[in-house]
Amino acid sequence: EISPIFFGRMAFQIRNATVASSDWRRHGISPGQFPGFAVAKSSAFNSSKYAFLEASSASFWSRSDAKQRLVEFLEDVLEGRTTPSIMSEEPE
């Protein structure tokens, strides 16, 4: 639903965040916690990442403003209004 809004500005890829849990820990996310939606500046290893943690619960997606909140998050990332994650652990 939101991809047409960002056509030509952003590419979307579906990925299971739990598969790369060590990668998220290196970027400051606590063990056992995963973003419901995330953005990376590039596909390069260790590129800057932005996690939308609010979207990690099923109850978030049932809210009437969920789509708008996600759009706002993506706009903030694209406009540089969001702080990227910082590596907290050395690569394994």
Side-chain angles (χ1 to χ4, degrees), residues 2 5 60 64-74:
I2 65 165
I5 297 169
F60 171 82
S64 62
D65 67 340
K67 178 182 170 183
Q68 183 57 37
R69 298 283 306 220
L70 181 55
V71 168
E72 290 169 2
F73 166 73
L74 294 173

Side-chain angles (χ1 to χ4, degrees), residues 34-36 52-63:
F34 308 97
F52 189 47
L53 297 175
E54 183 180 0
S56 60
S57 69
S59 63
F60 171 82
W61 297 108
S62 63
R63 293 173 33 179

Side-chain angles (χ1 to χ4, degrees), residues 40 50 56 79 86:
Y50 305 84
S56 60
E79 297 297 323
I86 298 171

